[in-house]
Amino acid sequence: MQSGKIGGPMVFVIFGGHGDLTWRKLVPALYSLFLDDWLPDRFEILGIGRKQLSDESYRERLRDGVDKFSPGKADPNKWTEFSSHINFRTADLEDKQAFAGIAEELGTYDEKWGTKATRIYYLALPPQMIKPVAEGLAAAKLNLDREYARIVVEKPFGHDLNSARELNVLLSNYFQESQIFRIDHYLGKETVQNIIAFRFGNTLFEPIWNRRYIDHVQITVAEKDGVGHRSGYYEHAGALRDMVQNHLLQILCLIAMEAPVSVNSDEIRQKKVDVLRAIRTILPEQVHQSAVRGQYGPGWIEGERVRGYRAEEGVAPDSPTETFAAVKFYVDNWRWQDVPFYLRTGKRMPSTVSEVAIQFRPVPHQTFPASALLDNRPNRLLIAIQPEEGILLRFEVKHPGQHMALAPVMMQFYYREAFKVRSPEAYETLLLDIMRGDSTLFMRADQTEAAWAVIEPILDMWQSVGPTDFPNYEAGTWGPEQADVLIAQDGRSWIMPTLLQCQEDLAKCRLAREQS
Ligand code: BG6
């Protein structure tokens, strides 16, 4: 990453300082920013949690996270320098007095530095804690300075439209919209941001980026992992809330949005909200045709037997929670009328892969005889988001030989080959933007609500009519058969992610199943 240090002093106050997110994502990202010389000379990281912990043992735990989750292990000298800026304070966040103590401590930094520091209040906490912390900050007047005080809220942002509205009202009671940073970490991913660069930095694709040329769009976000230790949260969330409402809809917005006038944060966010508002409402009687849910049963991942969701720690033996969701959306506007957007996401799939596939229409008139078209395929553009980051374009060429025959080929661009530099982790990008006060990659209040409104009819229907066939897909497969039916009823099929790694993973799952 190129350098460009942040100027003024900065204090990160991490509520939930002892939690998983801080250990796994936030501090490794801050450490990388420190190594790349982005952090200001004067900064402090203040972890706040319930535990009784010395600064030393807190730093040790965080170092373990950096060793595990950063690109390389912590360098001893650099770590000593970095960690001298880290401290831990024990506090009960439901006690308003605790915030007076935090305010006092923050005051000492300003005094020491002889100037006002930017204060970032990061809520790495379960959703029910947002209210007491926002109120605590306000009671201690830590919210007042519009320019210097910022609050960061993680997803899930509410659990339905009403609760998201309530949360927005609560936050807006104490903070201005410009002070609030609602995180969807997918927006920090390099390839997700690249969708904007690719679409609006080229003349080539924009003229064909519409219903006249595009047949349909598929967005797949698949994960090999199961629910892990997160059943407490996941049991109340499910795949639709956990992934579709935020990450997948964000990607859809970037693919479908109109060209912004500039990369100004409000301009881009407005264009995304326009997309969400244009998504056709799914009526209750259409839910079964437009959305499919699934839950994994036991199966095989990378040659290893894994248990089903209902046998995971902390999961009810008759849990109705979906671990897979596939949904078909339409965006009702001039550009996209009647072009389906198929979204699917699931846990315990054969591979961890996120990809967008844009399938173009067949040529309007076929010039070639049937004998030349045995291997004829429509043009396809693939945007690989992870684990590989790149863009692939499939088109037809003449197969070499004395006969005219068409054959598909793939033109490929991979970030790692083209640039040979490390792409920053999503959290590095997002934390840096928070420090700069740039909210382009964060969700505006109305956007979170619009996204809930899009999925609410499905949530309501799924809640009122429980699943009867769970578990309905085997771990290590691409989801329930009904997901194939969802797309097959339109005469289409799911596009297999192209990446080699993905195909190897799939082969391993198949082999293990056959040998069992
Ligand atoms: C989180 C979800 O927001 O995103 C998780 O809560 C999911 O369930 C994760 O595993 C996926 O993120 P990534 O960056 O690993 O694709």
Side-chain angles (χ1 to χ4, degrees), residues 233-278:
Y233 150 73
Y234 200 85
E235 273 283 83
H236 302 285
L240 195 63
R241 286 191 173 92
D242 185 44
M243 298 293 286
V244 178
Q245 189 271 346
N246 36 77
H247 306 327
L248 279 88
L249 280 180
Q250 288 289 349
I251 299 175
L252 185 155
C253 285
L254 291 169
I255 296 291
M257 71 194 248
E258 294 302 317
V261 174
S262 69
V263 285
N264 162 298
S265 75
D266 249 337
E267 172 69 11
I268 293 199
R269 296 197 296 180
Q270 186 54 47
K271 292 286 188 280
K272 293 204 283 186
V273 173
D274 289 346
V275 174
L276 292 172
R277 295 218 172 107

mmCIF file of all heavy atoms in Angstrom, residues 233-278:
data_model
loop_
_atom_site.group_PDB
_atom_site.id
_atom_site.type_symbol
_atom_site.label_atom_id
_atom_site.label_comp_id
_atom_site.label_asym_id
_atom_site.label_seq_id
_atom_site.Cartn_x
_atom_site.Cartn_y
_atom_site.Cartn_z
ATOM 1 N N TYR A 233 -25.708 -15.856 17.617
ATOM 2 C CA TYR A 233 -26.178 -14.794 16.714
ATOM 3 C C TYR A 233 -26.927 -15.396 15.531
ATOM 4 O O TYR A 233 -28.032 -14.966 15.172
ATOM 5 C CB TYR A 233 -24.969 -13.980 16.245
ATOM 6 C CG TYR A 233 -25.112 -13.376 14.860
ATOM 7 C CD1 TYR A 233 -25.965 -12.293 14.650
ATOM 8 C CD2 TYR A 233 -24.428 -13.911 13.774
ATOM 9 C CE1 TYR A 233 -26.116 -11.746 13.380
ATOM 10 C CE2 TYR A 233 -24.570 -13.369 12.507
ATOM 11 C CZ TYR A 233 -25.423 -12.296 12.311
ATOM 12 O OH TYR A 233 -25.579 -11.772 11.061
ATOM 13 N N TYR A 234 -26.343 -16.427 14.926
ATOM 14 C CA TYR A 234 -26.845 -16.913 13.639
ATOM 15 C C TYR A 234 -28.245 -17.526 13.736
ATOM 16 O O TYR A 234 -29.053 -17.380 12.811
ATOM 17 C CB TYR A 234 -25.849 -17.928 13.054
ATOM 18 C CG TYR A 234 -26.023 -18.115 11.570
ATOM 19 C CD1 TYR A 234 -25.413 -17.252 10.665
ATOM 20 C CD2 TYR A 234 -26.818 -19.130 11.053
ATOM 21 C CE1 TYR A 234 -25.589 -17.390 9.301
ATOM 22 C CE2 TYR A 234 -27.003 -19.287 9.686
ATOM 23 C CZ TYR A 234 -26.376 -18.417 8.821
ATOM 24 O OH TYR A 234 -26.551 -18.553 7.464
ATOM 25 N N GLU A 235 -28.505 -18.172 14.856
ATOM 26 C CA GLU A 235 -29.827 -18.772 15.032
ATOM 27 C C GLU A 235 -30.944 -17.732 14.878
ATOM 28 O O GLU A 235 -32.050 -18.043 14.455
ATOM 29 C CB GLU A 235 -29.930 -19.419 16.418
ATOM 30 C CG GLU A 235 -29.437 -20.860 16.478
ATOM 31 C CD GLU A 235 -30.438 -21.839 15.897
ATOM 32 O OE1 GLU A 235 -30.437 -21.997 14.665
ATOM 33 O OE2 GLU A 235 -31.212 -22.441 16.680
ATOM 34 N N HIS A 236 -30.653 -16.485 15.242
ATOM 35 C CA HIS A 236 -31.679 -15.434 15.120
ATOM 36 C C HIS A 236 -31.553 -14.670 13.808
ATOM 37 O O HIS A 236 -32.347 -13.793 13.524
ATOM 38 C CB HIS A 236 -31.568 -14.446 16.283
ATOM 39 C CG HIS A 236 -31.711 -15.121 17.602
ATOM 40 N ND1 HIS A 236 -32.920 -15.560 18.077
ATOM 41 C CD2 HIS A 236 -30.790 -15.493 18.520
ATOM 42 C CE1 HIS A 236 -32.740 -16.148 19.240
ATOM 43 N NE2 HIS A 236 -31.453 -16.131 19.527
ATOM 44 N N ALA A 237 -30.525 -14.982 13.053
ATOM 45 C CA ALA A 237 -30.303 -14.220 11.821
ATOM 46 C C ALA A 237 -30.696 -15.078 10.620
ATOM 47 O O ALA A 237 -31.768 -14.888 10.027
ATOM 48 C CB ALA A 237 -28.840 -13.787 11.739
ATOM 49 N N GLY A 238 -29.854 -16.048 10.268
ATOM 50 C CA GLY A 238 -30.100 -16.841 9.056
ATOM 51 C C GLY A 238 -29.465 -16.127 7.868
ATOM 52 O O GLY A 238 -29.123 -14.932 7.937
ATOM 53 N N ALA A 239 -29.367 -16.869 6.760
ATOM 54 C CA ALA A 239 -28.596 -16.380 5.611
ATOM 55 C C ALA A 239 -29.191 -15.116 4.979
ATOM 56 O O ALA A 239 -28.468 -14.254 4.496
ATOM 57 C CB ALA A 239 -28.513 -17.489 4.563
ATOM 58 N N LEU A 240 -30.502 -14.998 5.003
ATOM 59 C CA LEU A 240 -31.132 -13.844 4.347
ATOM 60 C C LEU A 240 -30.740 -12.543 5.054
ATOM 61 O O LEU A 240 -30.342 -11.564 4.422
ATOM 62 C CB LEU A 240 -32.649 -14.033 4.375
ATOM 63 C CG LEU A 240 -33.459 -13.153 3.452
ATOM 64 C CD1 LEU A 240 -33.123 -13.436 2.001
ATOM 65 C CD2 LEU A 240 -34.954 -13.396 3.672
ATOM 66 N N ARG A 241 -30.836 -12.566 6.390
ATOM 67 C CA ARG A 241 -30.461 -11.364 7.152
ATOM 68 C C ARG A 241 -28.947 -11.187 7.173
ATOM 69 O O ARG A 241 -28.442 -10.075 7.074
ATOM 70 C CB ARG A 241 -30.918 -11.504 8.607
ATOM 71 C CG ARG A 241 -32.375 -11.356 8.825
ATOM 72 C CD ARG A 241 -32.627 -11.253 10.333
ATOM 73 N NE ARG A 241 -34.005 -10.939 10.615
ATOM 74 C CZ ARG A 241 -34.939 -11.860 10.837
ATOM 75 N NH1 ARG A 241 -34.641 -13.133 10.783
ATOM 76 N NH2 ARG A 241 -36.184 -11.486 11.095
ATOM 77 N N ASP A 242 -28.242 -12.296 7.349
ATOM 78 C CA ASP A 242 -26.795 -12.218 7.578
ATOM 79 C C ASP A 242 -26.037 -11.799 6.316
ATOM 80 O O ASP A 242 -25.038 -11.096 6.406
ATOM 81 C CB ASP A 242 -26.312 -13.602 8.046
ATOM 82 C CG ASP A 242 -24.837 -13.611 8.423
ATOM 83 O OD1 ASP A 242 -24.401 -12.667 9.118
ATOM 84 O OD2 ASP A 242 -24.117 -14.549 8.019
ATOM 85 N N MET A 243 -26.489 -12.221 5.167
ATOM 86 C CA MET A 243 -25.708 -11.995 3.943
ATOM 87 C C MET A 243 -26.474 -11.245 2.849
ATOM 88 O O MET A 243 -25.935 -10.356 2.211
ATOM 89 C CB MET A 243 -25.249 -13.346 3.362
ATOM 90 C CG MET A 243 -24.352 -14.153 4.260
ATOM 91 S SD MET A 243 -22.745 -13.427 4.532
ATOM 92 C CE MET A 243 -21.918 -13.724 2.993
ATOM 93 N N VAL A 244 -27.726 -11.641 2.596
ATOM 94 C CA VAL A 244 -28.437 -11.053 1.445
ATOM 95 C C VAL A 244 -28.777 -9.585 1.722
ATOM 96 O O VAL A 244 -28.515 -8.710 0.893
ATOM 97 C CB VAL A 244 -29.724 -11.845 1.107
ATOM 98 C CG1 VAL A 244 -30.467 -11.190 -0.049
ATOM 99 C CG2 VAL A 244 -29.385 -13.289 0.758
ATOM 100 N N GLN A 245 -29.306 -9.312 2.922
ATOM 101 C CA GLN A 245 -29.762 -7.946 3.232
ATOM 102 C C GLN A 245 -28.632 -6.937 3.078
ATOM 103 O O GLN A 245 -28.878 -5.775 2.767
ATOM 104 C CB GLN A 245 -30.307 -7.918 4.670
ATOM 105 C CG GLN A 245 -31.012 -6.630 5.061
ATOM 106 C CD GLN A 245 -30.071 -5.574 5.640
ATOM 107 O OE1 GLN A 245 -28.926 -5.871 5.992
ATOM 108 N NE2 GLN A 245 -30.548 -4.345 5.732
ATOM 109 N N ASN A 246 -27.415 -7.375 3.277
ATOM 110 C CA ASN A 246 -26.308 -6.416 3.236
ATOM 111 C C ASN A 246 -25.330 -6.713 2.096
ATOM 112 O O ASN A 246 -25.368 -6.057 1.055
ATOM 113 C CB ASN A 246 -25.611 -6.367 4.593
ATOM 114 C CG ASN A 246 -25.581 -7.743 5.233
ATOM 115 O OD1 ASN A 246 -24.781 -8.582 4.848
ATOM 116 N ND2 ASN A 246 -26.489 -8.017 6.166
ATOM 117 N N HIS A 247 -24.475 -7.732 2.281
ATOM 118 C CA HIS A 247 -23.372 -7.924 1.323
ATOM 119 C C HIS A 247 -23.873 -8.139 -0.110
ATOM 120 O O HIS A 247 -23.382 -7.520 -1.050
ATOM 121 C CB HIS A 247 -22.503 -9.118 1.714
ATOM 122 C CG HIS A 247 -21.990 -9.058 3.127
ATOM 123 N ND1 HIS A 247 -21.687 -7.890 3.755
ATOM 124 C CD2 HIS A 247 -21.707 -10.036 4.027
ATOM 125 C CE1 HIS A 247 -21.257 -8.134 4.986
ATOM 126 N NE2 HIS A 247 -21.268 -9.432 5.174
ATOM 127 N N LEU A 248 -24.850 -9.030 -0.286
ATOM 128 C CA LEU A 248 -25.254 -9.339 -1.666
ATOM 129 C C LEU A 248 -26.015 -8.174 -2.305
ATOM 130 O O LEU A 248 -25.820 -7.864 -3.482
ATOM 131 C CB LEU A 248 -26.073 -10.637 -1.730
ATOM 132 C CG LEU A 248 -25.175 -11.882 -1.716
ATOM 133 C CD1 LEU A 248 -24.882 -12.342 -0.317
ATOM 134 C CD2 LEU A 248 -25.754 -13.021 -2.517
ATOM 135 N N LEU A 249 -26.838 -7.513 -1.495
ATOM 136 C CA LEU A 249 -27.561 -6.363 -2.066
ATOM 137 C C LEU A 249 -26.611 -5.209 -2.377
ATOM 138 O O LEU A 249 -26.818 -4.453 -3.320
ATOM 139 C CB LEU A 249 -28.674 -5.904 -1.116
ATOM 140 C CG LEU A 249 -29.950 -6.732 -1.157
ATOM 141 C CD1 LEU A 249 -30.987 -6.190 -0.161
ATOM 142 C CD2 LEU A 249 -30.574 -6.769 -2.559
ATOM 143 N N GLN A 250 -25.552 -5.086 -1.586
ATOM 144 C CA GLN A 250 -24.557 -4.045 -1.894
ATOM 145 C C GLN A 250 -23.935 -4.309 -3.261
ATOM 146 O O GLN A 250 -23.747 -3.392 -4.065
ATOM 147 C CB GLN A 250 -23.423 -4.053 -0.858
ATOM 148 C CG GLN A 250 -23.813 -3.518 0.486
ATOM 149 C CD GLN A 250 -24.031 -2.016 0.477
ATOM 150 O OE1 GLN A 250 -23.713 -1.331 -0.482
ATOM 151 N NE2 GLN A 250 -24.604 -1.506 1.541
ATOM 152 N N ILE A 251 -23.607 -5.578 -3.505
ATOM 153 C CA ILE A 251 -22.988 -5.912 -4.796
ATOM 154 C C ILE A 251 -24.001 -5.647 -5.913
ATOM 155 O O ILE A 251 -23.667 -5.063 -6.947
ATOM 156 C CB ILE A 251 -22.506 -7.379 -4.816
ATOM 157 C CG1 ILE A 251 -21.452 -7.597 -3.723
ATOM 158 C CG2 ILE A 251 -21.929 -7.754 -6.180
ATOM 159 C CD1 ILE A 251 -20.997 -9.029 -3.557
ATOM 160 N N LEU A 252 -25.225 -6.068 -5.686
ATOM 161 C CA LEU A 252 -26.264 -5.822 -6.705
ATOM 162 C C LEU A 252 -26.352 -4.317 -7.020
ATOM 163 O O LEU A 252 -26.425 -3.914 -8.179
ATOM 164 C CB LEU A 252 -27.603 -6.353 -6.201
ATOM 165 C CG LEU A 252 -28.777 -6.297 -7.176
ATOM 166 C CD1 LEU A 252 -29.798 -7.368 -6.799
ATOM 167 C CD2 LEU A 252 -29.490 -4.974 -7.221
ATOM 168 N N CYS A 253 -26.311 -3.494 -5.973
ATOM 169 C CA CYS A 253 -26.422 -2.040 -6.185
ATOM 170 C C CYS A 253 -25.281 -1.530 -7.061
ATOM 171 O O CYS A 253 -25.501 -0.703 -7.950
ATOM 172 C CB CYS A 253 -26.372 -1.298 -4.850
ATOM 173 S SG CYS A 253 -27.882 -1.437 -3.925
ATOM 174 N N LEU A 254 -24.078 -2.021 -6.798
ATOM 175 C CA LEU A 254 -22.937 -1.528 -7.577
ATOM 176 C C LEU A 254 -23.029 -1.967 -9.035
ATOM 177 O O LEU A 254 -22.642 -1.244 -9.947
ATOM 178 C CB LEU A 254 -21.619 -2.031 -6.964
ATOM 179 C CG LEU A 254 -21.296 -1.409 -5.605
ATOM 180 C CD1 LEU A 254 -20.138 -2.136 -4.936
ATOM 181 C CD2 LEU A 254 -20.973 0.076 -5.748
ATOM 182 N N ILE A 255 -23.575 -3.150 -9.254
ATOM 183 C CA ILE A 255 -23.720 -3.640 -10.628
ATOM 184 C C ILE A 255 -24.830 -2.862 -11.346
ATOM 185 O O ILE A 255 -24.731 -2.560 -12.522
ATOM 186 C CB ILE A 255 -24.075 -5.156 -10.634
ATOM 187 C CG1 ILE A 255 -22.934 -5.988 -10.037
ATOM 188 C CG2 ILE A 255 -24.443 -5.659 -12.029
ATOM 189 C CD1 ILE A 255 -21.681 -6.044 -10.855
ATOM 190 N N ALA A 256 -25.881 -2.525 -10.604
ATOM 191 C CA ALA A 256 -27.068 -1.981 -11.271
ATOM 192 C C ALA A 256 -27.147 -0.463 -11.265
ATOM 193 O O ALA A 256 -27.949 0.109 -11.991
ATOM 194 C CB ALA A 256 -28.328 -2.553 -10.598
ATOM 195 N N MET A 257 -26.328 0.217 -10.449
ATOM 196 C CA MET A 257 -26.529 1.662 -10.276
ATOM 197 C C MET A 257 -26.242 2.463 -11.541
ATOM 198 O O MET A 257 -25.529 2.015 -12.436
ATOM 199 C CB MET A 257 -25.654 2.190 -9.131
ATOM 200 C CG MET A 257 -24.188 2.220 -9.428
ATOM 201 S SD MET A 257 -23.266 2.462 -7.898
ATOM 202 C CE MET A 257 -22.641 4.094 -8.203
ATOM 203 N N GLU A 258 -26.819 3.657 -11.597
ATOM 204 C CA GLU A 258 -26.542 4.586 -12.699
ATOM 205 C C GLU A 258 -25.192 5.247 -12.450
ATOM 206 O O GLU A 258 -24.675 5.239 -11.326
ATOM 207 C CB GLU A 258 -27.643 5.654 -12.759
ATOM 208 C CG GLU A 258 -28.999 5.097 -13.140
ATOM 209 C CD GLU A 258 -28.989 4.376 -14.487
ATOM 210 O OE1 GLU A 258 -28.376 4.884 -15.429
ATOM 211 O OE2 GLU A 258 -29.588 3.286 -14.589
ATOM 212 N N ALA A 259 -24.636 5.841 -13.479
ATOM 213 C CA ALA A 259 -23.318 6.479 -13.347
ATOM 214 C C ALA A 259 -23.405 7.676 -12.401
ATOM 215 O O ALA A 259 -24.241 8.556 -12.587
ATOM 216 C CB ALA A 259 -22.845 6.948 -14.715
ATOM 217 N N PRO A 260 -22.554 7.676 -11.370
ATOM 218 C CA PRO A 260 -22.564 8.851 -10.492
ATOM 219 C C PRO A 260 -21.864 10.029 -11.173
ATOM 220 O O PRO A 260 -21.016 9.832 -12.042
ATOM 221 C CB PRO A 260 -21.754 8.386 -9.270
ATOM 222 C CG PRO A 260 -20.929 7.241 -9.745
ATOM 223 C CD PRO A 260 -21.605 6.644 -10.937
ATOM 224 N N VAL A 261 -22.225 11.227 -10.769
ATOM 225 C CA VAL A 261 -21.589 12.411 -11.358
ATOM 226 C C VAL A 261 -20.142 12.516 -10.879
ATOM 227 O O VAL A 261 -19.247 12.933 -11.603
ATOM 228 C CB VAL A 261 -22.380 13.672 -10.963
ATOM 229 C CG1 VAL A 261 -21.676 14.938 -11.420
ATOM 230 C CG2 VAL A 261 -23.769 13.603 -11.552
ATOM 231 N N SER A 262 -19.911 12.099 -9.625
ATOM 232 C CA SER A 262 -18.549 12.104 -9.096
ATOM 233 C C SER A 262 -18.476 11.000 -8.044
ATOM 234 O O SER A 262 -19.507 10.418 -7.697
ATOM 235 C CB SER A 262 -18.245 13.453 -8.449
ATOM 236 O OG SER A 262 -19.026 13.556 -7.275
ATOM 237 N N VAL A 263 -17.275 10.768 -7.523
ATOM 238 C CA VAL A 263 -17.197 9.724 -6.485
ATOM 239 C C VAL A 263 -17.432 10.301 -5.090
ATOM 240 O O VAL A 263 -17.048 9.711 -4.097
ATOM 241 C CB VAL A 263 -15.863 8.916 -6.537
ATOM 242 C CG1 VAL A 263 -15.851 7.946 -7.679
ATOM 243 C CG2 VAL A 263 -14.661 9.845 -6.554
ATOM 244 N N ASN A 264 -18.064 11.396 -5.060
ATOM 245 C CA ASN A 264 -18.511 12.021 -3.826
ATOM 246 C C ASN A 264 -19.413 11.042 -3.064
ATOM 247 O O ASN A 264 -20.222 10.354 -3.660
ATOM 248 C CB ASN A 264 -19.254 13.281 -4.297
ATOM 249 C CG ASN A 264 -20.161 13.848 -3.263
ATOM 250 O OD1 ASN A 264 -21.105 13.220 -2.824
ATOM 251 N ND2 ASN A 264 -19.836 15.061 -2.883
ATOM 252 N N SER A 265 -19.226 10.988 -1.728
ATOM 253 C CA SER A 265 -19.878 9.913 -0.983
ATOM 254 C C SER A 265 -21.407 9.946 -1.102
ATOM 255 O O SER A 265 -22.044 8.920 -1.288
ATOM 256 C CB SER A 265 -19.458 9.942 0.475
ATOM 257 O OG SER A 265 -20.080 10.984 1.137
ATOM 258 N N ASP A 266 -22.008 11.131 -1.024
ATOM 259 C CA ASP A 266 -23.457 11.156 -1.063
ATOM 260 C C ASP A 266 -23.988 10.795 -2.438
ATOM 261 O O ASP A 266 -25.049 10.178 -2.570
ATOM 262 C CB ASP A 266 -23.991 12.518 -0.622
ATOM 263 C CG ASP A 266 -24.684 12.365 0.715
ATOM 264 O OD1 ASP A 266 -25.107 11.237 1.023
ATOM 265 O OD2 ASP A 266 -24.778 13.358 1.445
ATOM 266 N N GLU A 267 -23.251 11.161 -3.442
ATOM 267 C CA GLU A 267 -23.662 10.873 -4.814
ATOM 268 C C GLU A 267 -23.727 9.346 -5.030
ATOM 269 O O GLU A 267 -24.733 8.810 -5.495
ATOM 270 C CB GLU A 267 -22.623 11.526 -5.747
ATOM 271 C CG GLU A 267 -22.752 11.196 -7.202
ATOM 272 C CD GLU A 267 -23.985 11.800 -7.852
ATOM 273 O OE1 GLU A 267 -24.629 12.644 -7.224
ATOM 274 O OE2 GLU A 267 -24.289 11.395 -8.985
ATOM 275 N N ILE A 268 -22.666 8.653 -4.632
ATOM 276 C CA ILE A 268 -22.656 7.197 -4.826
ATOM 277 C C ILE A 268 -23.728 6.539 -3.969
ATOM 278 O O ILE A 268 -24.467 5.661 -4.419
ATOM 279 C CB ILE A 268 -21.258 6.624 -4.502
ATOM 280 C CG1 ILE A 268 -20.288 7.154 -5.562
ATOM 281 C CG2 ILE A 268 -21.277 5.099 -4.437
ATOM 282 C CD1 ILE A 268 -19.022 6.425 -5.706
ATOM 283 N N ARG A 269 -23.839 7.000 -2.748
ATOM 284 C CA ARG A 269 -24.820 6.365 -1.875
ATOM 285 C C ARG A 269 -26.241 6.614 -2.391
ATOM 286 O O ARG A 269 -27.099 5.752 -2.304
ATOM 287 C CB ARG A 269 -24.630 6.856 -0.441
ATOM 288 C CG ARG A 269 -23.252 6.408 0.078
ATOM 289 C CD ARG A 269 -23.112 6.483 1.554
ATOM 290 N NE ARG A 269 -23.206 7.804 2.116
ATOM 291 C CZ ARG A 269 -23.099 8.046 3.420
ATOM 292 N NH1 ARG A 269 -22.894 7.055 4.263
ATOM 293 N NH2 ARG A 269 -23.182 9.257 3.886
ATOM 294 N N GLN A 270 -26.452 7.770 -2.963
ATOM 295 C CA GLN A 270 -27.787 8.062 -3.494
ATOM 296 C C GLN A 270 -28.115 7.131 -4.664
ATOM 297 O O GLN A 270 -29.216 6.591 -4.779
ATOM 298 C CB GLN A 270 -27.864 9.529 -3.952
ATOM 299 C CG GLN A 270 -29.252 9.941 -4.389
ATOM 300 C CD GLN A 270 -30.299 9.657 -3.302
ATOM 301 O OE1 GLN A 270 -30.096 9.978 -2.125
ATOM 302 N NE2 GLN A 270 -31.404 9.028 -3.687
ATOM 303 N N LYS A 271 -27.103 6.909 -5.529
ATOM 304 C CA LYS A 271 -27.342 6.057 -6.694
ATOM 305 C C LYS A 271 -27.657 4.628 -6.244
ATOM 306 O O LYS A 271 -28.437 3.919 -6.874
ATOM 307 C CB LYS A 271 -26.108 6.052 -7.614
ATOM 308 C CG LYS A 271 -25.843 7.401 -8.289
ATOM 309 C CD LYS A 271 -26.859 7.647 -9.395
ATOM 310 C CE LYS A 271 -26.605 8.846 -10.255
ATOM 311 N NZ LYS A 271 -26.986 10.141 -9.727
ATOM 312 N N LYS A 272 -27.033 4.214 -5.141
ATOM 313 C CA LYS A 272 -27.314 2.861 -4.649
ATOM 314 C C LYS A 272 -28.721 2.764 -4.056
ATOM 315 O O LYS A 272 -29.431 1.787 -4.265
ATOM 316 C CB LYS A 272 -26.248 2.451 -3.616
ATOM 317 C CG LYS A 272 -24.881 2.293 -4.270
ATOM 318 C CD LYS A 272 -23.977 1.388 -3.503
ATOM 319 C CE LYS A 272 -23.414 2.049 -2.319
ATOM 320 N NZ LYS A 272 -22.414 1.243 -1.627
ATOM 321 N N VAL A 273 -29.099 3.797 -3.345
ATOM 322 C CA VAL A 273 -30.457 3.792 -2.778
ATOM 323 C C VAL A 273 -31.483 3.759 -3.910
ATOM 324 O O VAL A 273 -32.504 3.069 -3.818
ATOM 325 C CB VAL A 273 -30.678 5.020 -1.861
ATOM 326 C CG1 VAL A 273 -32.128 5.095 -1.418
ATOM 327 C CG2 VAL A 273 -29.787 4.948 -0.653
ATOM 328 N N ASP A 274 -31.183 4.463 -5.008
ATOM 329 C CA ASP A 274 -32.111 4.451 -6.151
ATOM 330 C C ASP A 274 -32.340 3.016 -6.637
ATOM 331 O O ASP A 274 -33.458 2.648 -7.002
ATOM 332 C CB ASP A 274 -31.546 5.280 -7.318
ATOM 333 C CG ASP A 274 -31.566 6.769 -7.010
ATOM 334 O OD1 ASP A 274 -32.239 7.168 -6.046
ATOM 335 O OD2 ASP A 274 -30.885 7.528 -7.730
ATOM 336 N N VAL A 275 -31.281 2.219 -6.635
ATOM 337 C CA VAL A 275 -31.426 0.827 -7.081
ATOM 338 C C VAL A 275 -32.327 0.066 -6.107
ATOM 339 O O VAL A 275 -33.282 -0.609 -6.513
ATOM 340 C CB VAL A 275 -30.051 0.112 -7.170
ATOM 341 C CG1 VAL A 275 -30.232 -1.365 -7.491
ATOM 342 C CG2 VAL A 275 -29.155 0.785 -8.198
ATOM 343 N N LEU A 276 -32.042 0.211 -4.830
ATOM 344 C CA LEU A 276 -32.839 -0.540 -3.842
ATOM 345 C C LEU A 276 -34.317 -0.177 -3.953
ATOM 346 O O LEU A 276 -35.196 -1.026 -3.849
ATOM 347 C CB LEU A 276 -32.328 -0.259 -2.430
ATOM 348 C CG LEU A 276 -30.938 -0.818 -2.118
ATOM 349 C CD1 LEU A 276 -30.458 -0.314 -0.764
ATOM 350 C CD2 LEU A 276 -30.952 -2.351 -2.112
ATOM 351 N N ARG A 277 -34.569 1.104 -4.197
ATOM 352 C CA ARG A 277 -35.973 1.540 -4.289
ATOM 353 C C ARG A 277 -36.639 1.015 -5.551
ATOM 354 O O ARG A 277 -37.857 0.906 -5.622
ATOM 355 C CB ARG A 277 -36.045 3.069 -4.279
ATOM 356 C CG ARG A 277 -35.554 3.616 -2.964
ATOM 357 C CD ARG A 277 -36.384 4.820 -2.522
ATOM 358 N NE ARG A 277 -36.006 5.207 -1.180
ATOM 359 C CZ ARG A 277 -35.297 6.285 -0.889
ATOM 360 N NH1 ARG A 277 -34.912 7.111 -1.833
ATOM 361 N NH2 ARG A 277 -34.989 6.558 0.368
ATOM 362 N N ALA A 278 -35.800 0.712 -6.564
ATOM 363 C CA ALA A 278 -36.378 0.233 -7.825
ATOM 364 C C ALA A 278 -36.593 -1.283 -7.815
ATOM 365 O O ALA A 278 -37.192 -1.836 -8.744
ATOM 366 C CB ALA A 278 -35.470 0.625 -8.992
#
